[in-house]
């Protein structure tokens, strides 16, 4: 059996593509601790840190046969950790508190976040999700998000109470968050205050 500790990243990737569990274990040994420390520090929890490590390596194993290493594992895992941390923050319902963090992360030198979903595709996804809402709910949503009406202005325009407007907006927000994946929601946060 070959000594995997001396293999280059490129050779480990080739082995990983062929389903080599030992190569996968070697990549894990080299990188899990760095991922864990970054995630734990960002999220303030060891459990969350371990969960991030698990998610990242599970995704790597699933990608196995199709995995492409464009730069090196340090860059790959830094990007993967960033996304997993952002998803975890969003899942915990801390979007408002971390909105600025997300904007900063998205403007970093790597364009992978911007490339992830172009603006046109993002708006199409949102449009498809909104079209699934009841007609009145759609109308309230469009006035709030697209025309930037206040709740008071919407209530006046549609001759309904502000409480009804609030209920429609809450329903729309919940539906869109359930309908679209978390990365899409993170992108929407940067476009609209609504989310």
């Amino acid at each position: 059996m070959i000594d995997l500790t001396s293999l280059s990243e490129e050779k480990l990737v080739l082995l990983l593509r062929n389903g080599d569990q030992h190569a996968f274990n070697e990549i894990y040994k080299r990188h899990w601790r760095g991922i864990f420390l970054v995630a734990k520090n960002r999220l303030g929890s060891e459990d969350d840190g371990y969960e991030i490590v698990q998610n990242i390596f599970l995704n790597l194993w699933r990608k196995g046969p199709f995995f492409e290493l464009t730069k090196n594992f340090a860059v790959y895992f830094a990007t993967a950790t960033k996304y997993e941390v952002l998803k975890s923050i969003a899942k915990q319902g801390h979007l408002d508190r971390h909105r600025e963090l997300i904007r900063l992360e998205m403007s970093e030198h790597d364009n992978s976040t911007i490339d992830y979903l172009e603006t046109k595709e993002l708006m199409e996804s949102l449009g498809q999700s909104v079209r699934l809402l009841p007609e009145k709910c759609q109308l309230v949503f469009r006035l709030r998000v697209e025309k930037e009406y206040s709740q008071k202005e919407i209530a006046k325009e549609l001759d309904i109470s502000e409480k009804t407007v609030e209920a429609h907006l809450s329903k729309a927000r919940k539906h869109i968050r359930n309908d679209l994946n978390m990365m899409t929601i993170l992108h929407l946060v940067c476009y609209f205050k609504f989310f």
Side-chain angles (χ1 to χ4, degrees):
M1 181 167 160
I2 42 175
D3 178 19
L4 296 175
T5 57
S6 61
L7 284 186
S8 68
E9 291 185 340
E10 292 77 15
K11 288 189 178 163
L12 286 172
V13 168
L14 288 174
L15 291 170
L16 176 67
R17 282 194 202 136
N18 290 320
D20 189 313
Q21 177 76 47
H22 299 294
F24 176 80
N25 291 344
E26 178 60 27
I27 296 165
Y28 179 87
K29 281 185 218 165
R30 291 184 190 184
H31 297 282
W32 82 267
R33 187 154 182 76
I35 295 167
F36 168 73
L37 291 172
V38 170
K40 183 189 86 159
N41 290 339
R42 286 280 182 96
L43 298 170
S45 159
E46 283 195 1
D47 288 343
D48 290 341
Y50 286 121
E51 188 178 337
I52 298 288
V53 170
Q54 183 180 358
N55 290 345
I56 288 172
F57 280 98
L58 185 60
N59 287 336
L60 177 63
W61 182 251
R62 284 180 182 149
K63 288 177 186 174
F66 312 103
F67 181 71
E68 295 283 335
L69 188 65
T70 51
K71 292 185 182 172
N72 57 49
F73 275 119
V75 172
Y76 172 79
F77 286 125
T79 303
T81 304
K82 175 177 72 173
Y83 288 141
E84 288 295 328
V85 166
L86 290 173
K87 284 197 305 193
S88 179
I89 289 167
K91 226 191 298 184
Q92 294 165 16
H94 295 107
L95 279 175
D96 289 339
R97 196 161 53 115
H98 294 281
R99 207 172 260 156
E100 191 56 39
L101 169 66
I102 294 165
R103 280 195 192 97
L104 290 172
E105 294 286 354
M106 290 177 77
S107 66
E108 283 184 353
H109 299 298
D110 70 70
N111 289 325
S112 54
T113 308
I114 294 163
D115 294 340
Y116 175 78
L117 195 57
E118 292 178 3
T119 307
K120 186 179 174 194
E121 291 171 348
L122 178 66
M123 295 311 162
E124 283 172 9
S125 297
L126 177 60
Q128 287 171 1
S129 184
V130 170
R131 282 191 286 280
L132 297 173
L133 291 166
E135 192 177 330
K136 191 76 156 205
C137 196
Q138 276 188 52
L139 183 57
V140 170
F141 173 84
R142 291 185 191 286
L143 288 172
R144 178 72 184 102
V145 174
E146 293 171 12
K147 298 203 174 185
E148 297 184 353
Y149 279 31
S150 67
Q151 288 188 15
K152 196 174 199 170
E153 289 169 326
I154 296 169
K156 188 176 177 186
E157 176 84 16
L158 300 179
D159 196 26
I160 56 176
S161 72
E162 283 188 57
K163 279 240 184 255
T164 304
V165 170
E166 195 174 317
H168 280 304
L169 291 175
S170 178
K171 182 176 185 173
R173 190 178 289 114
K174 186 175 179 184
H175 163 76
I176 292 165
R177 283 183 176 165
N178 288 336
D179 190 43
L180 300 179
N181 69 48
M182 194 50 65
M183 285 310 294
T184 304
I185 296 297
L186 291 173
H187 287 279
L188 287 170
V189 166
C190 296
Y191 285 94
F192 303 110
K193 294 176 185 170
F194 178 76
F195 298 96

